[in-house]
Amino acid sequence: MFLKIKNKKIDISNIEAIIFDMDGTLVESEHIWAYAKQKIAEDEGIKISTDELEKFIGRGLNDFIDEIITPENAEHRTRLNQKIQEKALENYKCNINVIDGAVDLLKAFKSAGMRMAICSSGPMEAIKSSLSALNATEMIEVIISGETLNIGKPDPLPYLHTLLKLNLKPSNVIVFEDTISGLKSATSAGIRTIIVGNQAKTQKFKNATFIEPYLRNFNVTKN
C-alpha cells in the first residue's frame, strides 16, 4: 500500500495507524485561539503582537500563559487557562474551517483499514467539536488532548502517550503535523512525520519525511 502525493509515493505497507494533529492539520482554528489569547492577555494588561502569537502555534496554552502573562501562581495559571478556553470555545464549531481534502483523506485511510488517532495540544471539547465538523467522530480510535498531559509539544510525551494507547511501535505509525513543535514532538518519539498546512510554505522543517501543504494532493493507493 502507498501514500501518493502528486507524482510521488511513500510505501506504507508496514503502517498500522495514522496519527493526526488537529489545529492547522485537519481544521483551521488558530484564528480562534489567537483571538482568545489576545483578549485574555489584554484583560491582564498585556498587549501581544501577531508575530508573538505565532511563536505559540502548536503549543499548549500553559506555555503561552507562563511566557507571556507570567501568572502569580498555579491557581492564577489555571484560571487564565480556563478563561482562554471559554473565550475560544464560544461558538467554536461554527468558527472553525475544515481544511480542503481532510475529509477525503480520513475516509481513504479508513477504507484502507488504517487505525487513526488524534494527538492535539487543544482541549478535548475543541477536538470533539472539530471531529464533529469533519464527520469523523466514529473514525478515530484514540484521542490525546494536551490538557490531560503535564508536558506538551515539542516534548515527545504526547506522541509517546499516543503510541502507548495504540499499543504500537513508532515504526508502525505515521504522523501528520503542521508545526515545528509538532514535528519535534513526533520525531523525538521516533515517528516518521509528514508536514502539511500553511507553515509548510514558509518554515524549514528538518527531519520531516515529506512536506506538502495541501491535503487534497494526498491519496491512498494499492500500487
Side-chain angles (χ1 to χ4, degrees):
M1 190 174 297
F2 294 89
L3 180 61
K4 186 176 180 182
I5 309 101
K6 293 182 178 178
N7 60 344
K8 297 183 179 180
K9 293 180 181 178
I10 297 174
D11 189 347
I12 57 171
S13 301
N14 68 320
I15 298 301
E16 297 181 40
I18 311 295
I19 306 174
F20 290 94
D21 171 59
M22 181 60 80
D23 302 326
T25 300
L26 295 174
V27 300
E28 292 289 3
S29 60
E30 190 53 42
H31 59 290
I32 303 171
W33 291 104
Y35 174 77
K37 291 172 187 174
Q38 208 161 28
K39 292 297 290 182
I40 301 307
E42 286 178 2
D43 290 347
E44 296 291 315
I46 299 167
K47 289 189 176 182
I48 180 168
S49 69
T50 301
D51 288 343
E52 287 178 303
L53 281 168
E54 286 181 356
K55 297 175 184 176
F56 296 93
I57 294 175
R59 298 170 63 185
L61 290 180
N62 283 337
D63 287 348
F64 171 81
I65 293 166
D66 289 344
E67 294 178 33
I68 298 298
I69 304 178
T70 58
E72 298 169 2
N73 49 46
E75 186 180 343
H76 186 204
R77 178 210 268 176
T78 299
R79 289 201 307 271
L80 291 168
N81 191 305
Q82 290 173 343
K83 285 181 179 180
I84 293 172
Q85 288 195 45
E86 287 170 3
K87 177 63 68 176
L89 293 172
E90 293 173 359
N91 300 313
Y92 187 82
K93 186 178 176 181
C94 298
N95 292 322
I96 58 175
N97 300 311
V98 172
I99 290 174
D100 185 24
V103 174
D104 288 340
L105 185 59
L106 288 168
K107 287 180 178 178
F109 280 128
K110 186 67 176 178
S111 295
M114 291 288 182
R115 300 166 66 193
M116 287 186 285
I118 298 294
C119 180
S120 169
S121 297
M124 186 63 75
E125 185 177 344
I127 295 170
K128 289 184 175 180
S129 290
S130 297
L131 287 175
S132 177
L134 289 158
N135 293 317
T137 302
E138 300 302 320
M139 298 185 194
I140 304 301
E141 179 180 337
V142 169
I143 301 173
I144 301 300
S145 163
E147 70 178 352
T148 65
L149 303 174
N150 293 327
I151 304 173
K153 303 173 186 179
D155 192 271
L157 178 65
Y159 280 105
L160 291 173
H161 197 56
T162 310
L163 289 172
L164 183 65
K165 290 292 185 180
L166 287 167
N167 193 27
L168 290 175
K169 297 177 181 178
S171 57
N172 298 126
V173 173
I174 280 181
V175 163
F176 279 76
E177 265 284 358
D178 74 304
T179 64
I180 290 173
S181 63
L183 174 65
K184 287 180 179 177
S185 179
T187 54
S188 294
I191 311 172
R192 287 190 292 165
T193 305
I194 295 170
I195 294 296
V196 298
N198 291 327
Q199 291 194 60
K201 306 170 190 175
T202 58
Q203 302 289 327
K204 292 183 179 180
F205 290 90
K206 294 181 180 179
N207 302 321
T209 296
F210 201 87
I211 301 172
E212 165 55 47
Y214 304 109
L215 285 181
R216 64 175 178 267
N217 289 333
F218 288 82
N219 198 9
V220 181
T221 64
K222 292 183 178 180
N223 50 48

